[in-house]
């Protein structure tokens, strides 16, 4: 899922993503979520907006979607008069979008949610027609007025089936008796430490689970909840415990611990896996990354290999083996209740009053305001005129917050509400789960899973290729190959799993990874280097998404996967490769002794493993993730991406592509590390074509603007019509 807020302004350098999103969505406290000022259910939030500029800021789609229904805003004369003007001038334009995307494999591989933008003014964008395809960041319309104030109503919701896909549960809290989901796993990793968890002083051997000689510094007397966050090379560990005076709130224990177990812990994961889990490095990498092994095709050796981490407890810190089965493992995909996520499904009547005993208890204990934005609540939509009496007839009797309403006043508010309602079709007859929009967006921006359609958009329509001195730069059309048997379709789930495993999880990391992988696989059409039999390093030529090449890299990968082979065979092949590398180019092929026929002692299973890098979809993707981590590519992808607009003459026209020093370094690291500091060296093959993918990825995955001909970052989309979109 790729998602963003409905307003997109520049993010300050000091802003976290969460801070930036909430800055984009200033909320009227009287019309917040999930209750309004009168204590009734409110399915969304009212986002305030001044529109003080001469060029109004436009509302944008939060994700790719389809227009379910819409209403063009009425003119000012209707907005300013009853029934729209009830408590003040109110605009009635709206757009309802349906979003189909993915957040994982299995049931999570196809999810649906809706976003509603209500109280829009002046005009809607001409692209808004029923059934129209709308892309993330596309303009929808303009924020209008609600009760005389500049604001619009913004709402995100889903049905019961998709609630289970999105969050994994409908119960209030998370089941901590078993590990969390693996079909979708993203964001922070969380650990439930039961009462009795032992903390130790020092671990002389971080690879050993043996505790018989260790000194105990603490044994927990209450459950503790540990969260692990990877970000820009660091790993932060924080501990929570249930607040003594609350059933729902959790306090932080001590200060966050940042990379205390290893400097730049995240960037060091590959080396740590190599050091701590030498017999099963791939499984060990998953243990370090997820707190458990989640892939079916890798296993830990030994099976009780530990994950020792420094963890805070009340009064100090100690070492805990987080890998033991008594400690349960989760991710943000499980919406842990100790981070504030609670599901509310105990209001079973059909009126708009909040009759939830769970919410009532929160209010009684004074906990409601602290976690209200992370409540996910089930109640009917409020935009169906046919159910107005069912939902609001209680106004005639009143309650503790609102006095009884006279019939005449009731008819007025009914007429006003009906003027804002619309025909919701099948959506109007049942209950729906409602999310606080800012929290929903913030949460799922940590997911990063690309649906098939989102991946497709990253493959550009054309590529720029340097065809040599005679032909110069050429502009080549790139066809799209899809269907069940296509590589793009087959690779989607393995690709996403690999990106999650190897922490290719930020938009800029993904842009750097795919900028190389898509070009190297000839636009997701092949997994093996072309013309391989004529290459001097055949048959150890490029295979996989990042074209794993030469015996050194292959055998390093085999070792990483826990595979055993005769040491003499690998050493002979690697020695031969190094010998050939030092020969002049015209002598390499003639003198090569790399072919399998020159190595009769090469086991058949090694040849099979090598071929899997091109023939097994899982290995195609995993080998690329391994190569990313081996180098490590993330270090360079995490640098600031200063986009540069480049124009070349190709195909009798001026064509535009985009590059950055950060992307260059990431490319060179996996292709030509000796030229990494020789910025934009022509020695790197196909860099311009890689940049064509990179530009698309920046547009599809981020909110960055593109430089114009004057190098001013003002354009929403890349030039040269590169986005692969069909309305």
């Amino acid at each position: 899922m790729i998602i963003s807020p409905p307003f997109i302004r520049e993010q300050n350098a000091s802003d976290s993503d969460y801070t930036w999103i909430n800055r984009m969505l200033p909320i009227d406290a009287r019309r917040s979520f999930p209750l309004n000022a009168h204590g009734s259910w409110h399915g969304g939030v009212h986002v305030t907006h001044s529109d003080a500029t001469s060029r109004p800021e436009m509302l944008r789609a939060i994700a790719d979607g389809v227009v379910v229904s819409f209403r063009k805003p009425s003119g000012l004369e209707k907005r300013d008069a009853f029934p729209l003007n009830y408590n003040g001038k109110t605009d009635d334009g709206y757009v309802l979008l349906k979003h189909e995307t993915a957040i994982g494999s299995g049931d999570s591989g196809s999810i649906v949610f809706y976003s509603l933008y209500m109280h829009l003014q002046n005009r809607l964008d001409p692209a808004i027609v029923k059934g129209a395809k709308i892309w993330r960041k596309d303009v929808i319309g303009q924020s209008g007025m609600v009760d005389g104030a500049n604001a619009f109503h913004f709402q995100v919701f889903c049905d019961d089936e998709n609630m289970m896909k999105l969050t994994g549960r409908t119960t209030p809290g998370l089941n901590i008796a078993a590990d969390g989901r693996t079909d979708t796993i993203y964001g922070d990793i969380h650990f439930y430490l039961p009462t009795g968890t032992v903390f130790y002083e020092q671990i002389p051997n971080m690879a050993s689970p043996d505790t018989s000689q260790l000194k105990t510094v603490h044994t927990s007397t209450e459950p503790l909840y540990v969260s692990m966050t990877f970000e820009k090379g660091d790993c932060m560990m924080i501990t929570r415990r249930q607040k003594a005076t609350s059933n729902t709130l959790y306090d932080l224990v001590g200060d966050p611990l940042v990379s205390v177990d290893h400097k730049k812990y995240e960037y060091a994961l590959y080396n740590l896996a190599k050091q701590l889990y030498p017999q099963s490095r791939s499984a060990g990498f998953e243990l370090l990354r997820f707190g458990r092994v989640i892939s079916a095709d890798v296993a830990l050796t030994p099976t009780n290999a530990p994950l020792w981490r420094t963890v805070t407890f009340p009064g100090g810190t100690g070492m805990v083996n987080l890998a033991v089965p008594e400690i349960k493992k989760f991710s943000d995909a499980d919406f842990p209740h100790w981070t504030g996520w609670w599901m509310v499904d105990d209001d079973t009547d059909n009126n708009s009053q909040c009759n939830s005993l769970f919410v009532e208890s929160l209010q009684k204990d004074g906990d409601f305001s602290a976690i209200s934005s992370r409540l996910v609540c089930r109640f009917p939509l409020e935009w169906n005129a046919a159910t107005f009496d069912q939902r609001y007839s209680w106004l005639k009797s009143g309650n503790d917050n609102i006095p009884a309403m006279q019939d005449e006043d009731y008819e007025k508010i009914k007429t006003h509400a009906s003027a804002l309602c619309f025909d919701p079709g099948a959506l109007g007859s049942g209950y729906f789960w409602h999310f606080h929009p800012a929290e929903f967006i913030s949460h799922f921006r940590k997911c990063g899973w690309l649906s098939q359609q989102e991946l497709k958009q990253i493959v550009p329509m054309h590529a720029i290729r340097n065809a040599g001195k005679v032909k110069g730069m050429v502009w080549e059309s790139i066809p799209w190959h899809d269907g069940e048997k296509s590589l793009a379709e087959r690779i989607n789930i393995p690709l996403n799993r690999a990106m999650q495993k190897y922490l290719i999880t930020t938009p800029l990391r993904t842009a750097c990874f795919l900028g190389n992988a898509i070009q190297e696989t000839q636009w997701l059409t092949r997994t093996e280097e072309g013309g391989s039999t004529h290459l001097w390093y055949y048959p150890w030529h490029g295979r996989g998404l990042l074209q794993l090449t030469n015996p050194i890299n292959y055998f390093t990968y085999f070792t990483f996967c826990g595979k055993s082979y005769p040491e003499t065979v690998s050493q002979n092949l690697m020695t031969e490769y190094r010998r050939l590398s030092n020969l002049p180019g015209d002598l390499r092929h003639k003198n090569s002794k790399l072919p399998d026929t020159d190595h009769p002692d090469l086991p058949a299973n090694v040849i099979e493993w090598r071929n899997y890098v091109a023939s097994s979809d899982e290995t195609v993707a995993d080998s690329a993730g391994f190569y990313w981590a081996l180098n490590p590519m993330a270090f360079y992808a995490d640098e600031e991406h200063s986009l540069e607009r480049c124009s070349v003459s190709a195909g009798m026209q001026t064509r535009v592509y985009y590059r950055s020093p950060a992307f260059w370094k990431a490319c060179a690291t996996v292709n030509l590390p000796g030229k990494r500091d020789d910025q934009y060296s022509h020695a790197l093959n196909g860099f311009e074509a890689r940049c064509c993918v990179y530009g698309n990825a920046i547009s599809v995955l981020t909110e960055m603007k593109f430089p114009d001909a004057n190098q001013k970052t003002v354009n929403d989309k890349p030039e040269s019509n590169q986005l692969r979109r069909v309305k």
Side-chain angles (χ1 to χ4, degrees):
M1 179 192 296
I2 309 173
I3 193 167
S4 53
F7 290 125
I8 299 175
R9 288 177 236 114
E10 186 175 358
Q11 186 170 347
N12 297 329
S14 59
D15 280 351
S16 67
D17 200 60
Y18 185 84
T19 300
W20 175 72
I21 289 166
N22 282 274
R23 187 160 58 83
M24 296 300 99
L25 292 168
I27 293 168
D28 181 349
R30 299 173 301 110
R31 305 286 181 88
S32 192
F33 174 91
L35 306 179
N36 62 24
H38 300 298
S40 296
W41 288 121
H42 191 230
V45 295
H46 282 201
V47 180
T48 60
H49 195 268
S50 64
D51 260 345
T53 60
S54 58
R55 295 183 62 187
E57 184 177 23
M58 306 305 286
L59 281 173
R60 298 171 182 267
I62 63 170
D64 295 350
V66 174
V67 177
V68 176
S69 65
F70 70 98
R71 178 171 53 224
K72 293 182 178 180
S74 297
L76 298 183
E77 70 284 354
K78 289 189 176 181
R79 181 198 70 178
D80 297 348
F82 184 80
L84 291 180
N85 187 342
Y86 174 70
N87 282 325
K89 301 173 182 179
T90 300
D91 285 293
D92 63 345
Y94 83 90
V95 175
L96 176 63
L97 298 181
K98 177 182 179 181
H99 308 278
E100 288 191 66
T101 183
I103 61 168
S105 60
D107 287 342
S108 300
S110 177
I111 58 102
V112 174
F113 69 95
Y114 297 85
S115 63
L116 173 65
Y117 315 77
M118 171 64 79
H119 306 305
L120 308 185
Q121 69 162 321
N122 290 344
R123 65 174 180 82
L124 301 183
D125 190 89
I128 302 298
V129 296
K130 188 173 183 179
K133 180 71 176 178
I134 301 296
W135 308 97
R136 185 180 76 94
K137 300 188 291 185
D138 277 359
V139 169
I140 293 176
Q142 185 180 348
S143 176
M145 299 188 75
V146 186
D147 294 346
N150 290 329
F152 77 100
H153 175 94
F154 180 36
Q155 187 167 344
V156 175
F157 60 95
C158 71
D159 61 17
D160 291 343
E161 176 186 358
N162 285 284
M163 176 64 176
M164 287 299 298
K165 294 179 179 181
L166 283 164
T167 70
R169 74 177 191 275
T170 58
T171 55
L174 179 59
N175 175 18
I176 54 176
D179 289 336
R181 301 197 282 176
T182 56
D183 64 336
T184 177
I185 183 168
Y186 56 81
D188 294 348
I189 303 301
H190 305 276
F191 303 88
Y192 163 66
L193 281 57
T195 299
T197 297
V198 180
F199 294 69
Y200 298 96
E201 184 179 57
Q202 195 65 37
I203 308 297
N205 183 0
M206 297 284 280
S208 172
D210 182 26
T211 60
S212 60
Q213 303 300 314
L214 302 181
K215 180 180 178 181
T216 299
V217 295
H218 179 71
T219 301
S220 64
T221 58
E222 61 185 329
L224 297 174
Y225 304 83
V226 175
S227 297
M228 179 169 68
T229 304
F230 294 106
E231 185 175 11
K232 290 193 174 181
D234 285 318
C235 179
M236 182 173 69
M237 306 285 286
I238 65 170
T239 302
R240 295 181 176 91
R241 63 176 174 178
Q242 188 171 342
K243 190 174 181 179
T245 58
S246 173
N247 293 320
T248 53
L249 299 187
Y250 290 75
D251 289 331
L252 292 181
V253 177
D255 296 324
L257 305 176
V258 180
S259 292
V260 296
D261 294 316
H262 196 285
K263 185 178 180 181
K264 287 298 178 183
Y265 190 93
E266 182 194 11
Y267 292 152
L269 287 184
Y270 174 81
N271 288 328
L272 286 171
K274 179 179 176 181
Q275 170 191 336
L276 298 175
Y277 314 101
Q279 301 177 76
S280 51
R281 299 174 186 183
S282 180
F285 193 100
E286 292 192 9
L287 187 61
L288 292 164
R289 162 72 177 101
F290 299 116
R292 51 183 161 153
V293 178
I294 65 169
S295 296
D297 58 345
V298 297
L300 275 172
T301 303
T303 56
N304 65 339
L307 174 60
W308 290 108
R309 295 301 309 272
T310 303
V311 175
T312 301
F313 59 81
T317 63
M319 302 292 289
V320 176
N321 180 4
L322 297 173
V324 297
E326 295 80 12
I327 293 177
K328 302 306 178 186
K329 291 82 176 175
F330 308 91
S331 81
D332 276 340
D334 299 299
F335 288 74
H337 56 262
W338 53 89
T339 64
W341 291 105
W342 293 92
M343 313 306 164
V344 181
D345 185 21
D346 63 343
D347 187 349
T348 56
D349 60 40
N350 288 319
N351 67 45
S352 67
Q353 292 184 93
C354 175
N355 294 315
S356 163
L357 295 178
F358 184 84
V359 171
E360 182 181 340
S361 69
L362 291 176
Q363 293 171 322
K364 182 179 179 181
D365 296 340
D367 296 342
F368 178 73
S369 61
I371 62 171
S372 60
S373 65
R374 290 198 171 184
L375 300 179
V376 186
C377 305
R378 186 174 181 267
F379 53 85
L381 291 177
E382 62 262 57
W383 302 104
N384 187 357
T387 61
F388 181 86
D389 288 328
Q390 177 179 292
R391 291 180 289 113
Y392 287 102
S393 60
W394 62 269
L395 288 170
K396 297 180 181 180
S397 303
N399 61 20
D400 293 341
N401 296 314
I402 300 176
M405 186 176 286
Q406 298 298 314
D407 289 346
E408 181 180 355
D409 294 328
Y410 178 81
E411 289 302 320
K412 276 189 175 183
I413 195 172
K414 179 178 179 179
T415 302
H416 170 67
S418 297
L420 294 171
C421 285
F422 54 89
D423 181 5
L427 298 180
S429 59
Y431 284 73
F432 287 86
W433 290 91
H434 300 76
F435 295 79
H436 189 293
E439 292 290 346
F440 183 90
I441 293 168
S442 295
H443 180 88
F444 281 107
R445 279 171 70 86
K446 294 185 285 186
C447 176
W449 188 282
L450 298 178
S451 70
Q452 183 67 24
Q453 286 300 309
E454 289 164 341
L455 177 62
K456 177 180 179 179
Q457 293 175 59
I458 297 175
V459 180
M461 298 286 286
H462 301 86
I464 296 171
R465 181 171 63 87
N466 190 337
K469 293 182 179 179
V470 177
K471 293 185 178 180
M473 293 292 187
V474 296
W475 179 251
E476 297 178 325
S477 177
I478 300 173
W480 172 252
H481 301 273
D482 56 10
E484 289 186 8
K485 295 183 179 181
S486 70
L487 176 62
E489 179 72 26
R490 298 192 332 260
I491 204 70
N492 183 255
I493 289 175
L495 168 64
N496 278 291
R497 284 177 175 159
M499 291 197 297
Q500 284 293 341
K501 174 175 177 176
Y502 295 101
L503 283 156
I504 309 169
T505 49
T506 70
L508 293 175
R509 289 185 184 185
T510 304
C512 288
F513 178 75
L514 293 180
N516 286 276
I518 289 175
Q519 186 273 343
E520 294 201 16
T521 56
Q522 293 189 25
W523 324 112
L524 298 181
T525 63
R526 61 185 307 158
T527 58
E528 196 164 353
E529 198 170 6
S532 55
T533 56
H534 298 96
L535 298 170
W536 65 269
Y537 44 91
Y538 173 84
W540 300 91
H541 55 276
R543 295 180 178 89
L545 283 181
L546 283 185
Q547 300 288 279
L548 199 65
T549 306
N550 80 56
I552 300 170
N553 286 327
Y554 274 99
F555 281 102
T556 303
Y557 180 56
F558 298 157
T559 301
F560 180 75
C561 294
K563 301 181 184 301
S564 299
Y565 47 82
E567 192 72 19
T568 54
V569 172
S570 63
Q571 288 300 322
N572 288 340
L573 283 164
M574 289 189 285
T575 299
E576 173 64 7
Y577 176 80
R578 293 188 180 100
R579 181 186 72 82
L580 292 171
S581 298
N582 292 322
L583 292 177
D586 57 340
L587 295 179
R588 288 174 181 165
H589 200 285
K590 296 177 182 179
N591 290 272
S592 176
K593 288 184 171 55
L594 287 176
D596 297 343
T597 53
D598 289 312
H599 298 272
D601 55 345
L602 181 65
N605 60 346
V606 173
I607 297 174
E608 188 177 57
W609 300 338
R610 184 187 66 201
N611 294 339
Y612 278 162
V613 179
S615 62
S616 163
D617 294 335
E618 287 72 23
T619 311
V620 165
D622 185 74
S623 63
F626 149 81
Y627 201 53
W628 164 282
L630 174 70
N631 284 283
M633 203 167 164
F635 176 79
Y636 302 101
D638 286 347
E639 292 185 2
E640 182 182 357
H641 286 240
S642 300
L643 295 183
E644 302 172 11
R645 179 185 183 274
C646 302
S647 60
V648 296
S649 178
M652 305 297 290
Q653 293 185 32
T654 298
R655 309 295 185 179
V656 173
Y657 67 92
Y658 304 88
R659 66 187 184 187
S660 70
F663 182 59
W664 163 260
K665 290 178 183 178
C667 290
T669 295
V670 293
N671 292 285
L672 207 63
K675 293 289 185 178
R676 186 168 52 223
D677 295 329
D678 185 4
Q679 190 164 291
Y680 306 137
S681 167
H682 293 297
L684 178 56
N685 179 51
F687 181 64
E688 293 84 3
R690 296 170 200 265
C691 287
C692 292
V693 187
Y694 173 67
N696 268 30
I698 291 294
S699 179
V700 172
L701 301 173
T702 80
E703 293 74 48
M704 293 174 65
K705 290 187 179 295
F706 292 85
D708 62 11
N710 297 315
Q711 297 296 338
K712 294 183 178 180
T713 52
V714 294
N715 292 336
D716 286 335
K717 298 177 182 178
E719 297 177 55
S720 295
N721 189 30
Q722 286 288 65
L723 295 179
R724 191 175 294 275
R725 293 174 173 176
V726 178
K727 290 288 185 179

